[in-house]
Amino acid sequence: MLSGIRPSRAGHRVPGVALVVAAVAVTGCSPLGGESKPARKQHAPTTARAGSGPTGTPRSAASAAPEPRTAAQFVARARRAMKDERGWTFVLRGSESAVMRGQAPSGATYTATVHRTTGPEALRQTGTVTTGKGERKSEVVYVVGGTGYVKDGAGAWKKGPLSDPGIANDVEDPLAELDAFEAYAKSAKVNRRPGADGALVRLRVEASGWRLSAARGRPALKRAVREVEPALAQLRKAGVTAADGQVTLKGFTETWDLDAAHGYRLASHRYAFTFLVPFQGGDITVSQEVRADNRGVFTGRVTLPADAM
């Protein structure tokens, strides 16, 4: 859901994708044939990387609770710990690219700060998109009462329900993602490592080889599929004829680092994916990576600006 830089940016021409589309329009299209590679089932190897979580004092109730063992139990504890506070501050970093063979790599980056309250649930996200050419554009996102509000640069506000992909793809909400993770947490491998401020627990899910048509039915890949679809729509409008059954997930990785010293609350979340879109005997590569780091408790309020109402 990275704003402004990702293939899923509804209503916008992503810099990396735009370059590829232009190249496609110039070169034209040829029929795509051949057998699809057999899909490999989702798997979850274990890796670990030390990191630091937010500072704070462990909750006595959390420390007295039985030690989690499974990924699902860790997720349940993390969700409980995050709801123990009124709100949280996250720092976001992301990048996206779309590359066609014979073309120079292109893309964009995104940085933002998110304030997310838990009661009532609301979000404010302020960030900046930077293209490969150094052009910068501000973005502001709010989620209030289940409705998303997005403002790009000096443009007008757009709003809609979070069920609308055009809105959902602009929202980065680590707590909502943690809730969604519960549905496929059993796919994750658990790894413990010491961190700078104490022990960390890493939950990791990895997948590869899925055709887009099959990936739509996988809970772990739901977000990646939603985010890549606008880029595919742009490419198909330019003449790329690859069907969903030919677009392949080269790789998908999602990791959650939980702070064991503070009730297993969320320290960081990262996800990354790469899709291969067949074109003229080669592939157009569409990639995205997003990371959110917890910077501690947020005690303020999120109020929708008057001009967005």
Side-chain angles (χ1 to χ4, degrees):
M1 295 182 285
L2 244 187
S3 304
I5 69 168
R6 48 186 186 270
S8 58
R9 182 67 174 187
H12 291 265
R13 209 167 184 77
V14 180
V17 174
L19 182 67
V20 172
V21 168
V24 170
V26 170
T27 60
C29 287
S30 60
L32 295 170
E35 295 281 330
S36 294
K37 293 186 293 185
R40 297 191 298 273
K41 290 188 177 180
Q42 184 172 333
H43 58 285
T46 301
T47 62
R49 182 176 61 78
S52 60
T55 58
T57 303
R59 298 277 179 176
S60 58
S63 60
E67 183 70 10
R69 293 180 177 274
T70 68
Q73 290 171 344
F74 280 113
V75 172
R77 286 284 292 275
R79 294 179 66 204
R80 188 187 318 159
M82 298 306 287
K83 291 178 180 178
D84 278 345
E85 298 292 349
R86 177 177 175 177
W88 299 92
T89 298
F90 296 92
V91 173
L92 303 178
R93 293 171 290 165
S95 62
E96 72 87 31
S97 64
V99 181
M100 189 172 73
R101 185 178 62 179
Q103 299 292 319
S106 62
T109 59
Y110 179 68
T111 58
T113 298
V114 170
H115 293 127
R116 169 64 151 85
T117 59
T118 59
E121 292 187 1
L123 175 145
R124 178 175 65 240
Q125 175 182 321
T126 56
T128 303
V129 179
T130 305
T131 71
K133 295 181 179 180
E135 299 170 345
R136 296 164 62 88
K137 182 177 66 174
S138 64
E139 180 192 73
V140 181
V141 178
Y142 281 83
V143 177
V144 177
T147 299
Y149 303 79
V150 181
K151 182 180 178 66
D152 294 312
W157 286 95
K158 66 175 183 178
K159 68 176 182 178
L162 296 181
S163 57
D164 178 356
I167 296 295
N169 287 341
D170 289 333
V171 177
E172 287 292 341
D173 185 349
L175 298 193
E177 291 298 320
L178 185 62
D179 289 343
F181 183 50
E182 187 175 41
Y184 56 95
K186 64 181 180 181
S187 301
K189 291 293 185 180
V190 180
N191 185 272
R192 296 172 181 266
R193 282 288 298 274
D197 297 324
L200 289 176
V201 172
R202 169 164 288 189
L203 309 180
R204 180 182 176 94
V205 173
E206 189 173 60
S208 63
W210 290 90
R211 300 298 181 179
L212 180 60
S213 53
R216 295 182 189 281
R218 307 300 301 179
L221 303 179
K222 180 179 178 180
R223 175 177 178 177
V225 170
R226 187 192 74 219
E227 300 244 11
V228 79
E229 285 189 324
L232 294 177
Q234 288 185 22
L235 292 171
R236 285 166 176 160
K237 183 178 292 187
V240 174
T241 59
D244 286 358
Q246 294 171 296
V247 177
T248 305
L249 177 67
K250 180 180 180 181
F252 167 83
T253 305
E254 183 174 18
T255 58
W256 296 86
D257 285 339
L258 308 180
D259 183 356
H262 301 92
Y264 299 102
R265 69 189 187 188
L266 176 60
S268 69
H269 174 226
R270 173 185 175 272
Y271 83 95
F273 65 76
T274 297
F275 281 92
L276 301 178
V277 184
F279 177 66
Q280 293 189 341
D283 290 311
I284 298 172
T285 303
V286 180
S287 301
Q288 181 184 143
E289 180 175 340
V290 184
R291 176 177 176 127
D293 290 295
N294 191 343
R295 290 295 184 253
V297 174
F298 172 67
T299 59
R301 297 179 59 190
V302 173
T303 304
L304 189 65
D307 63 340
M309 297 179 183

Short mmCIF file of all heavy atoms in Angstrom, two decimals, residues 42 177 180-187 205 214-225 252 254:
data_model
loop_
_atom_site.label_atom_id
_atom_site.label_comp_id
_atom_site.label_asym_id
_atom_site.label_seq_id
_atom_site.Cartn_x
_atom_site.Cartn_y
_atom_site.Cartn_z
N GLN A 42 3.66 -22.43 -1.47
CA GLN A 42 4.21 -21.46 -0.56
C GLN A 42 5.01 -22.16 0.52
O GLN A 42 4.62 -23.19 1.06
CB GLN A 42 3.06 -20.67 0.07
CG GLN A 42 3.50 -19.55 0.98
CD GLN A 42 2.31 -18.73 1.37
OE1 GLN A 42 1.33 -18.66 0.66
NE2 GLN A 42 2.40 -18.11 2.52
N GLU A 177 -2.47 -4.53 8.99
CA GLU A 177 -1.73 -5.63 8.38
C GLU A 177 -1.49 -6.75 9.38
O GLU A 177 -1.51 -7.93 9.03
CB GLU A 177 -0.40 -5.13 7.82
CG GLU A 177 -0.53 -4.20 6.63
CD GLU A 177 -1.18 -4.89 5.44
OE1 GLU A 177 -0.88 -6.07 5.19
OE2 GLU A 177 -2.00 -4.25 4.77
N ALA A 180 -4.59 -8.75 9.58
CA ALA A 180 -4.73 -9.60 8.40
C ALA A 180 -3.78 -10.78 8.46
O ALA A 180 -4.10 -11.88 7.98
CB ALA A 180 -4.49 -8.78 7.13
N PHE A 181 -2.62 -10.57 9.04
CA PHE A 181 -1.61 -11.63 9.14
C PHE A 181 -2.10 -12.83 9.94
O PHE A 181 -1.68 -13.97 9.72
CB PHE A 181 -0.33 -11.06 9.76
CG PHE A 181 0.81 -12.01 9.84
CD1 PHE A 181 1.22 -12.77 8.75
CD2 PHE A 181 1.51 -12.17 11.04
CE1 PHE A 181 2.29 -13.65 8.82
CE2 PHE A 181 2.58 -13.04 11.13
CZ PHE A 181 2.97 -13.78 10.02
N GLU A 182 -3.00 -12.57 10.86
CA GLU A 182 -3.53 -13.65 11.70
C GLU A 182 -4.13 -14.78 10.86
O GLU A 182 -4.06 -15.95 11.23
CB GLU A 182 -4.57 -13.10 12.67
CG GLU A 182 -5.06 -14.11 13.70
CD GLU A 182 -6.02 -13.49 14.70
OE1 GLU A 182 -6.88 -12.69 14.27
OE2 GLU A 182 -5.91 -13.81 15.90
N ALA A 183 -4.69 -14.44 9.68
CA ALA A 183 -5.35 -15.44 8.83
C ALA A 183 -4.38 -16.44 8.23
O ALA A 183 -4.78 -17.55 7.86
CB ALA A 183 -6.15 -14.75 7.73
N TYR A 184 -3.10 -16.07 8.11
CA TYR A 184 -2.13 -17.01 7.51
C TYR A 184 -0.86 -17.13 8.34
O TYR A 184 0.18 -17.58 7.85
CB TYR A 184 -1.79 -16.58 6.08
CG TYR A 184 -1.26 -15.18 5.91
CD1 TYR A 184 0.10 -14.93 5.88
CD2 TYR A 184 -2.13 -14.10 5.75
CE1 TYR A 184 0.59 -13.65 5.71
CE2 TYR A 184 -1.65 -12.81 5.57
CZ TYR A 184 -0.29 -12.59 5.55
OH TYR A 184 0.20 -11.32 5.38
N ALA A 185 -0.93 -16.77 9.61
CA ALA A 185 0.25 -16.84 10.48
C ALA A 185 0.79 -18.26 10.61
O ALA A 185 1.98 -18.45 10.84
CB ALA A 185 -0.10 -16.29 11.86
N LYS A 186 -0.07 -19.26 10.43
CA LYS A 186 0.41 -20.64 10.55
C LYS A 186 1.43 -20.98 9.47
O LYS A 186 2.16 -21.97 9.59
CB LYS A 186 -0.77 -21.61 10.49
CG LYS A 186 -1.52 -21.61 9.17
CD LYS A 186 -2.70 -22.58 9.21
CE LYS A 186 -3.46 -22.57 7.89
NZ LYS A 186 -4.63 -23.50 7.94
N SER A 187 1.51 -20.16 8.41
CA SER A 187 2.49 -20.37 7.36
C SER A 187 3.87 -19.85 7.74
O SER A 187 4.84 -20.11 7.03
CB SER A 187 2.04 -19.69 6.07
OG SER A 187 0.78 -20.17 5.63
N VAL A 205 7.32 -15.35 6.37
CA VAL A 205 6.60 -16.11 5.34
C VAL A 205 7.27 -15.83 4.01
O VAL A 205 7.60 -14.67 3.71
CB VAL A 205 5.11 -15.70 5.28
CG1 VAL A 205 4.41 -16.37 4.11
CG2 VAL A 205 4.41 -16.06 6.59
N ALA A 214 -3.43 -18.15 -9.70
CA ALA A 214 -3.51 -18.99 -8.49
C ALA A 214 -3.21 -18.19 -7.23
O ALA A 214 -3.76 -18.47 -6.16
CB ALA A 214 -2.54 -20.17 -8.61
N ALA A 215 -2.35 -17.18 -7.34
CA ALA A 215 -1.98 -16.38 -6.17
C ALA A 215 -3.17 -15.62 -5.60
O ALA A 215 -3.20 -15.31 -4.41
CB ALA A 215 -0.88 -15.40 -6.55
N ARG A 216 -4.17 -15.34 -6.45
CA ARG A 216 -5.35 -14.60 -5.97
C ARG A 216 -6.05 -15.32 -4.83
O ARG A 216 -6.70 -14.69 -3.99
CB ARG A 216 -6.33 -14.39 -7.11
CG ARG A 216 -5.81 -13.51 -8.23
CD ARG A 216 -6.88 -13.31 -9.30
NE ARG A 216 -6.34 -12.65 -10.48
CZ ARG A 216 -6.12 -11.35 -10.57
NH1 ARG A 216 -6.41 -10.59 -9.53
NH2 ARG A 216 -5.61 -10.83 -11.68
N GLY A 217 -5.94 -16.63 -4.78
CA GLY A 217 -6.62 -17.40 -3.74
C GLY A 217 -5.80 -17.65 -2.50
O GLY A 217 -6.26 -18.35 -1.60
N ARG A 218 -4.59 -17.09 -2.42
CA ARG A 218 -3.71 -17.30 -1.26
C ARG A 218 -3.78 -16.10 -0.32
O ARG A 218 -3.46 -14.98 -0.70
CB ARG A 218 -2.27 -17.49 -1.72
CG ARG A 218 -2.07 -18.56 -2.77
CD ARG A 218 -2.51 -19.92 -2.29
NE ARG A 218 -1.80 -20.33 -1.10
CZ ARG A 218 -2.03 -21.49 -0.46
NH1 ARG A 218 -2.97 -22.31 -0.91
NH2 ARG A 218 -1.33 -21.80 0.60
N PRO A 219 -4.22 -16.29 0.93
CA PRO A 219 -4.33 -15.16 1.86
C PRO A 219 -3.03 -14.38 2.02
O PRO A 219 -3.04 -13.15 2.10
CB PRO A 219 -4.73 -15.84 3.17
CG PRO A 219 -5.45 -17.08 2.74
CD PRO A 219 -4.72 -17.55 1.51
N ALA A 220 -1.89 -15.06 2.04
CA ALA A 220 -0.61 -14.39 2.24
C ALA A 220 -0.24 -13.48 1.08
O ALA A 220 0.53 -12.53 1.23
CB ALA A 220 0.50 -15.41 2.47
N LEU A 221 -0.80 -13.77 -0.10
CA LEU A 221 -0.44 -13.02 -1.30
C LEU A 221 -1.50 -12.01 -1.72
O LEU A 221 -1.36 -11.35 -2.75
CB LEU A 221 -0.18 -13.99 -2.46
CG LEU A 221 0.89 -15.05 -2.19
CD1 LEU A 221 1.03 -15.97 -3.38
CD2 LEU A 221 2.22 -14.42 -1.83
N LYS A 222 -2.55 -11.87 -0.93
CA LYS A 222 -3.66 -11.00 -1.28
C LYS A 222 -3.20 -9.57 -1.51
O LYS A 222 -3.58 -8.92 -2.49
CB LYS A 222 -4.71 -11.04 -0.16
CG LYS A 222 -5.92 -10.17 -0.42
CD LYS A 222 -6.93 -10.29 0.73
CE LYS A 222 -8.12 -9.39 0.49
NZ LYS A 222 -9.12 -9.50 1.61
N ARG A 223 -2.36 -9.07 -0.62
CA ARG A 223 -1.92 -7.68 -0.76
C ARG A 223 -1.01 -7.50 -1.98
O ARG A 223 -1.16 -6.53 -2.74
CB ARG A 223 -1.19 -7.25 0.51
CG ARG A 223 -0.60 -5.86 0.41
CD ARG A 223 0.06 -5.45 1.71
NE ARG A 223 0.67 -4.14 1.60
CZ ARG A 223 1.28 -3.51 2.60
NH1 ARG A 223 1.33 -4.07 3.78
NH2 ARG A 223 1.82 -2.33 2.43
N ALA A 224 -0.09 -8.42 -2.18
CA ALA A 224 0.83 -8.31 -3.32
C ALA A 224 0.06 -8.32 -4.64
O ALA A 224 0.37 -7.56 -5.56
CB ALA A 224 1.84 -9.45 -3.28
N VAL A 225 -0.96 -9.17 -4.73
CA VAL A 225 -1.77 -9.22 -5.95
C VAL A 225 -2.51 -7.91 -6.16
O VAL A 225 -2.53 -7.36 -7.27
CB VAL A 225 -2.77 -10.40 -5.87
CG1 VAL A 225 -3.78 -10.33 -7.00
CG2 VAL A 225 -2.02 -11.73 -5.92
N PHE A 252 8.27 -13.60 -2.91
CA PHE A 252 7.52 -12.82 -1.93
C PHE A 252 8.08 -13.14 -0.55
O PHE A 252 8.28 -14.32 -0.21
CB PHE A 252 6.03 -13.17 -1.97
CG PHE A 252 5.24 -12.65 -0.79
CD1 PHE A 252 4.77 -11.34 -0.78
CD2 PHE A 252 4.99 -13.45 0.32
CE1 PHE A 252 4.05 -10.85 0.31
CE2 PHE A 252 4.28 -12.98 1.40
CZ PHE A 252 3.80 -11.67 1.39
N GLU A 254 7.69 -11.79 3.65
CA GLU A 254 7.09 -10.93 4.68
C GLU A 254 7.70 -11.30 6.02
O GLU A 254 7.76 -12.48 6.38
CB GLU A 254 5.58 -11.09 4.72
CG GLU A 254 4.91 -10.16 5.73
CD GLU A 254 3.40 -10.21 5.67
OE1 GLU A 254 2.85 -11.17 5.11
OE2 GLU A 254 2.76 -9.27 6.19
#
